[in-house]
Amino acid sequence: MVSRSGGTGRRTGLKIQRGQLHEGSSPSSGNGTTPRFFRCLPIRYRVKRVNTMIDIDFKEGLVPVIAQDHETGEVLMMAFANRESWEMTLKTGIVHYWSRSRKKLWKKGETSGNVQEVKEIRVDCDGDCILIKVNQIGGAACHTGYRSCFYRVVRGDRLEVDGVKVFDPAEKYPAANNPQEK
Amino acid sequence: MVSRSGGTGRRTGLKIQRGQLHEGSSPSSGNGTTPRFFRCLPIRYRVKRVNTMIDIDFKEGLVPVIAQDHETGEVLMMAFANRESWEMTLKTGIVHYWSRSRKKLWKKGETSGNVQEVKEIRVDCDGDCILIKVNQIGGAACHTGYRSCFYRVVRGDRLEVDGVKVFDPAEKYPAANNPQEK
């Protein structure tokens, strides 16, 4: 389970197997506790783990996730992920978020069909933000029908819509939940 | 101060002058209070304001801000802004954030000189995330010297560095605060 690269006394190159990561033994718990797998390691191993694995800092349980179109570079949306949704994204190759309003795991596009296929995942310097380059199925990320959630631009003291509308939300969502544009 | 577009009894097109917005009378206080300028308006005016001005939802006082290179589309960083930093960005045309670690207004690039000039500001559908297209002075946004803070990519169960390093942080920052890469 634990490998040591080199045999000179310097411990580097810790690895865990993919299955272990996905079963909840990721090294960064983000809630102040250390998963059992790591608690059993000598401290010198634990210190090294930061440099060698996917270490996400889930501040208060959540991390911001930016979805960017992998071809055009357009920023499509930003939402939050908790550990469960992050691991679901890694497992499935489909982007999952955590819905703060509904307080539940949110597979993006579950209702509309406009899921986001993972093309590349990047992590920032502090490990507290994730950037995912995606193939946006259906051509639109926004629940209002626009390609990007950022369909409004600041002009002077006002916001003006200049985004491209791809679908009519009334056709994608039940009338009771029909989202309103701002 | 308050204009009414049309004269048919329907109130639309509320405006405030730029100076008022920048002096802290923005319509969305985000802290549950209504600025004095809006408290004196009849409720029918207040309801309309959401559609007609820059209405940012500062959840718990902060809103995520994504900085994107205005030419290449590369996502450079993500940080948070409070109302003060948002208004400073609008006023100065230079991106300001709120440093959660230092708990203070953070003019990006104040130490390194690598400020971010605003080229375009976009707001998402829910008004709770801001996307700023910037001209990144110095060619690097990250305190580690990389062009983007997202200089690491997920490969299997590991993060690998594939970003471009533009400067040596030891030359930009005092030794005591010399940032370490993850």
Side-chain angles (χ1 to χ4, degrees), chain B residues 81-118:
Chain B
N82 65 353
R83 177 166 298 283
E84 182 187 11
S85 42
W86 164 241
E87 290 177 358
M88 282 297 287
T89 298
L90 291 174
K91 260 187 192 173
T92 63
I94 300 293
V95 183
H96 290 67
Y97 302 96
W98 172 257
S99 169
R100 291 185 297 172
S101 56
R102 289 175 286 150
K103 299 190 193 317
K104 59 180 284 197
L105 182 71
W106 167 26
K107 178 185 174 185
K108 168 68 188 165
E110 193 160 27
T111 305
S112 64
N114 288 11
V115 299
Q116 295 175 331
E117 293 175 347
V118 174

Side-chain angles (χ1 to χ4, degrees), chain B residues 2-18:
Chain B
V2 178
S3 69
R4 197 191 291 182
S5 65
T8 62
R10 289 182 62 218
R11 276 74 175 176
T12 57
L14 276 184
K15 288 181 182 177
I16 60 172
Q17 293 168 9
R18 178 173 288 274

Side-chain angles (χ1 to χ4, degrees), chain A residues 139-151:
Chain A
C142 189
H143 66 298
T144 59
Y146 288 94
R147 173 157 180 75
S148 164
C149 290
F150 298 93
Y151 59 84

Side-chain angles (χ1 to χ4, degrees), chain B residues 62-77:
Chain B
L62 296 176
V63 67
V65 178
I66 302 163
Q68 182 180 30
D69 187 286
H70 78 113
E71 286 185 331
T72 67
E74 186 174 12
V75 175
L76 300 175
M77 61 178 287

